[in-house]
Amino acid sequence: MTGYVIERELAAAGSARVAGVDEVGRGAWAGPVVVCAVIARAGFPAPPDGLTDSKRLTARRRAQLAAELPAWVECYAIGEASHEEIDALGMTAALRHAAVRALDGLAAPPPDVVLLDGSHDYIGRPWPVRCAVKADLRSVSVAAASVLAKVHRDNLMAELGRPHAEFAFEENAGYPSPAHQRALASLGPTPYHRLSWSYLDDLPRWRHLKKTRPDIEGQLSLL
């Protein structure tokens, strides 16, 4: 189970109010990218049993934790960037938009540190970001964010996929499962597909729908 390893380190250095941030949906072919920001309660209270990186949990346990966490954390917020924004702006900028929407949604006062899972700061100034690889295994706030983001997006994709049952979004959440790939080749993209993704290069019938992705390096310089 994930503990307060990083939160305790940050508190000892004077940063007591930590917003743990994690994303889900970056590699999907359809749907939004979702970012969750979580601030745990002060005093390092024991987290819900089994809280850890969402990928290490069953779907059932994730759903149970997602129901428990809102009452356990001090506050949390979720931000999204749509598939249209991903196509128009590129993933780096879309992630930043989703993260800022989540951070802006947190209750005041603002966090002393934004703890971001991974090695790449896609949020940037003026947020005080610290990156940590596998933070969801050493930070309860990041672990909670990973669970809440995953369950939120999975539920959203299941709802979006109801009129498009052949794509099995309820099972694959927009990631390229075999059923998803078969439906895409046969039926073409749904209204929720990311049309700047390279999968369209391998689909001659639908290649004309591809949108040009913007210059990612140019985005990074803006951060």
Side-chain angles (χ1 to χ4, degrees):
M1 186 172 74
T2 299
Y4 288 95
V5 175
I6 301 179
E7 284 91 348
R8 291 182 187 277
E9 292 174 359
L10 292 170
S15 297
R17 190 170 174 81
V18 178
V21 172
D22 204 4
E23 59 79 20
V24 64
R26 188 192 305 231
W29 287 5
V33 65
V34 171
V35 176
C36 183
V38 169
I39 296 180
R41 294 186 186 277
F44 310 116
D49 186 48
L51 177 61
T52 188
D53 171 18
S54 64
K55 294 185 291 295
R56 298 185 172 214
L57 300 167
T58 64
R60 180 180 179 183
R61 186 59 186 137
R62 280 196 301 267
Q64 292 170 340
L65 282 168
E68 296 174 37
L69 285 169
W72 178 78
V73 304
E74 178 182 318
C75 60
Y76 81 99
I78 289 175
E80 299 177 7
S82 68
H83 61 286
E84 294 100 335
E85 289 178 290
I86 293 168
D87 285 336
L89 303 173
M91 182 53 77
T92 300
L95 273 170
R96 185 175 195 277
H97 280 299
V100 169
R101 287 163 186 161
L103 290 166
D104 282 344
L106 292 173
D112 299 318
V113 175
V114 174
L115 179 58
L116 186 59
D117 187 38
S119 59
H120 171 219
D121 176 9
Y122 55 75
I123 301 174
R125 299 185 298 270
W127 297 96
V129 176
R130 169 175 167 175
C131 294
V133 176
K134 297 191 181 301
D136 45 15
L137 300 179
R138 297 181 292 137
S139 160
V140 292
S141 56
V142 174
S146 76
V147 170
L148 290 167
K150 171 69 172 166
V151 173
H152 174 88
R153 189 178 184 279
D154 282 357
N155 291 341
L156 175 64
M157 291 304 297
E159 185 65 28
L160 293 178
R162 293 193 195 286
H164 310 281
E166 299 88 347
F167 290 82
F169 285 169
E170 185 173 0
E171 299 170 8
N172 60 51
Y175 284 83
S177 70
H180 183 173
Q181 293 186 62
R182 286 193 299 270
L184 191 59
S186 174
L187 303 173
T190 70
Y192 309 108
H193 273 86
R194 302 171 185 178
L195 299 182
S196 59
W197 252 224
S198 61
Y199 67 81
L200 281 172
D201 294 335
D202 300 321
L203 299 172
R205 288 179 62 190
W206 315 110
R207 194 178 298 156
H208 64 284
L209 299 174
K210 188 174 182 183
K211 295 183 178 179
T212 303
R213 186 180 298 178
D215 176 17
I216 300 299
E217 293 301 319
Q219 294 178 56
L220 291 174
S221 69
L222 294 176
L223 298 180

